[in-house]
Structure formats: structure tokens, C-alpha cells
Amino acid sequence: MNCKVLLLVLLLVGCSDLVSDDTLTDGPYVQMQANQWEALWVCQGQRKSYRFPPPVQDMSIEKCGQAAQLSPLPASRPDVAYPAAGKLAVISDIHGQFELFKRLLVAHQIMDAQGNWLFGEGQLVISGDVFDRGPKQTEALWLIYQLQQQAQATGGKVHFLLGNHETMVLNGDLRYLNEKYEKVANLLNRPFARLYGEDTLLGQWLRTRNVLVKIGDMLFLHGGLHPELAREGRTLADINQVFTGQLVEDQDQPRQGFARYLHKTNGPIWYRGYFKDPQASQQDINLLKQHFGVAHILVGHTTQRHIRTLYNGDVIAIDSGIKGAESGEILLLEGQNFYRGSPNGSRQRLE
């Protein structure tokens, strides 16, 4: 093919069609404007779109077996502290492994096989890192979004906390993105981070998520809190407000001071000091517990073979390797007892 013919082909079909895969399906990505919304899909390698008036109540959209339940966004950011929950489930680091995530939720009766909330007034905490590595992050995000609305209607709650991979993607850092989504971005003719921009439903929702939550006497977050934060007298509300207030960095005004600290190695989405050197001491953990008024700190981010306790049960590590797609666990709390739940529905008391 000579250069003139190749140029004509490019003009006629567009560059994105040349990288299309006729088995590739993904979406929807819902773009919001004042008078019209648009949902974008990739259906068997083809770009599809659907325009509709902004929904005034819940509505479902679907193409190519890829569905989403659209609900109005909450008017404000969730609280950072809640009373103790009678039933509680905790999971983290899903990393696009939707099928395993779904199996765990179904096996432990948090939802049914169709994705409907079964947990009543119970609470589900997802401690970050739904994005990157695996091939079904879109499905996982829409499921969490749907469960959040359903749980609210029955007196329950879903707390989706930000991890380092949510923060990276929103800031355009795509180092760990599954190659599928590079193709999706090309087919939709948009940079991938723009698919989660401020003008998108999921993008707005992600920007209103917290980086930590306290439920009863338990503190949940992705990486951990450095003991310096307790020594400096920082509050959970202050940490959350400053971190989320500069979640997406303005390149013309880079983060400074405390905001910069929170988004670096010792911040709540990156800190690994409960597991690796320089490692926090038991005295450091006691200080954190006393200052923040908690009995347990539950974190993901640092992968373990199983959910396990550290520091005499004060810290619980919940990243159980779901990202590998072969095994993983969910933490269950009933009364004063913790259990490790497996994908087959069995559970084992956590010691």
C-alpha cells in the first residue's frame, strides 16, 4: 500500500479503528452536560453512544451486556465517622478482578447473583484500588456505585475509599493500566483519564469519595496513617479534607505543605510502615489508637497471603491478593468476632 492510499484509509476509518479488537467490550462511560447526558460504550470493537436527558430518578442503561444503574449523585461528601455496625464486611485491592470480587460478595450474602444488596443494615467497606492491573475495573466500579445506592435505601452503607491507584488514574498516571483500557481510550478517541473527568458520573463520584472512615472503634484506609500524624495532633477530618481537597493536582499550582505530604510516601494511600522498614513500633500503634480513638486500624495496599492481624490484633491487613485473580478473601465482623471469608463461602475465625 503506498503512502497516498494509506493516508486515504486513515482519513476514512480513523486511527482508532486500526487498533480495534472485535471482541473488545467495555463501558458505559457517562458524560454529563446541563441539558444532555451521553453514555459511551465499546461494543465488540465498535464505538457506541446513547444520548438522553439528565435522569431525575434511577434509570438503567445497557449495551452489549454492559449495564449501569444511574442514580443522582449525593449533594455532599460522606461523613468520616459512623456508629458501630452490627454487620460489617471489608475488602480491598480488587484491581479489576470483577469476577472474584463478585464471587466473594455473593458467597457471603452481601449481594445476590444479580448484584442486588442483601446485607440489610450492614456496612461494606472497600479500602481502595479497584483500578488498574485487571481487565474488569469498569464493571467493578458500576457494581459498587449500584450497591451504594441500594444499601442506602435499606439502612446499610457502602464506603468506597480512595487508594493510590484511584488517585493515580485521576491524575493521569496510567503505568499499571490494563492494556484493554488503552484500546478502549483509542476507540473512544479520548485520553483514558478524561473518561473519569469532572464531567463524568463516575468521575464526579470518585472525586467525592473519602480516603478514610471510622466506624465505631475501627479505622479503615488504604495504606495507613504514619505516627507523625498523631504526634502532630492531626484529626481524621483534617487529613481527609486536605487529601481530597487536592485529590487531582493542579499542574499550574502543585501541592504544597501538608497536602503534598499526604500524597507522598508517608501519606494514607502509600504508607507501608506497618509492614516494612522503617517499621512502626507497638508504641507508635498505641499512640495512633489513643489519638484517633480506635481499637483497630484496617488497611490494604500491602499484599498478604491471607487477611491477618499484626501488633497483637491492633492492625488488620486486608489485602489478600485478589489482584492475582486466583484467590482472595473478605473480612467479616459479627459481634466482637472477625472472620476470613473465602470465595467458596467458608470462613475461618481470625486470631
Side-chain angles (χ1 to χ4, degrees), residues 19-31:
V19 297
S20 67
D21 179 343
D22 60 11
T23 66
L24 183 62
T25 298
D26 185 46
Y29 297 93
V30 180
Q31 315 283 319

Side-chain angles (χ1 to χ4, degrees), residues 12-275:
L12 288 173
V13 304
C15 293
S16 62
D17 288 335
L18 296 180
V19 297
S20 67
D21 179 343
D22 60 11
T23 66
L24 183 62
T25 298
D26 185 46
Y29 297 93
V30 180
Q31 315 283 319
M32 302 184 299
Q33 296 180 358
N35 299 316
Q36 179 177 262
W37 287 18
E38 181 181 21
L40 301 175
W41 282 269
V42 173
C43 295
Q44 297 180 333
Q46 300 296 316
R47 181 187 187 276
K48 304 290 183 182
S49 68
Y50 167 52
R51 293 182 175 87
F52 53 98
V56 295
Q57 57 186 9
D58 293 356
M59 66 175 291
S60 296
I61 57 175
E62 180 176 357
K63 283 188 187 297
C64 304
Q66 299 288 113
Q69 180 76 31
L70 308 186
S71 303
L73 282 164
S76 59
R77 185 179 296 279
D79 294 334
V80 296
Y82 296 87
K87 295 189 300 181
L88 187 67
V90 193
I91 194 167
S92 80
D93 295 82
I94 296 158
H95 283 299
Q97 301 299 345
F98 170 72
E99 301 300 341
L100 182 51
F101 175 46
K102 182 178 177 181
R103 280 175 57 200
L104 284 161
L105 296 185
V106 172
H108 296 281
Q109 300 180 356
I110 294 161
M111 71 176 197
D112 64 22
Q114 289 71 47
N116 298 306
W117 180 257
L118 296 178
F119 212 39
E121 295 182 356
Q123 299 190 38
L124 170 64
V125 180
I126 300 153
S127 290
D129 280 10
V130 171
F131 278 95
D132 286 342
R133 294 195 167 98
K136 289 192 174 183
Q137 63 187 31
T138 315
E139 292 89 337
L141 288 166
W142 280 119
L143 177 59
I144 296 166
Y145 187 86
Q146 173 180 310
L147 289 175
Q148 178 182 286
Q149 316 307 319
Q150 293 179 351
Q152 190 76 25
T154 64
K157 289 196 179 297
V158 173
H159 307 275
F160 176 29
L161 305 176
L162 297 164
N164 58 302
H165 284 268
E166 281 75 40
T167 306
M168 290 166 69
V169 168
L170 291 177
N171 282 277
D173 184 344
L174 307 179
R175 281 176 287 168
Y176 299 96
L177 193 67
N178 188 285
E179 63 180 0
K180 165 185 175 178
Y181 296 105
E182 297 176 8
K183 295 180 180 181
V184 167
N186 285 333
L187 286 163
L188 297 180
N189 197 29
R190 302 195 180 190
F192 185 77
R194 259 197 69 199
L195 296 174
Y196 293 94
E198 289 185 89
D199 63 339
T200 70
L201 184 60
L202 288 181
Q204 275 200 19
W205 175 61
L206 289 165
R207 285 166 172 78
T208 62
R209 298 307 88 198
N210 291 327
V211 74
L212 52 80
V213 66
K214 179 181 176 183
I215 303 174
D217 63 357
M218 294 180 287
L219 177 61
F220 304 84
L221 69 162
H222 183 63
L225 291 184
H226 194 287
E228 286 179 6
L229 296 169
R231 286 192 281 268
E232 292 175 359
R234 303 288 186 175
T235 68
L236 296 179
D238 184 28
I239 294 166
N240 189 67
Q241 181 179 1
V242 174
F243 181 93
T244 58
Q246 295 197 38
L247 175 61
V248 179
E249 187 169 22
D250 183 341
Q251 297 303 313
D252 294 328
Q253 294 182 311
R255 301 184 190 104
Q256 301 291 330
F258 190 43
R260 179 176 172 80
Y261 172 89
L262 291 178
H263 280 271
K264 293 296 184 180
T265 304
N266 289 333
I269 61 172
W270 290 106
Y271 183 58
R272 297 188 194 269
Y274 307 152
F275 307 92

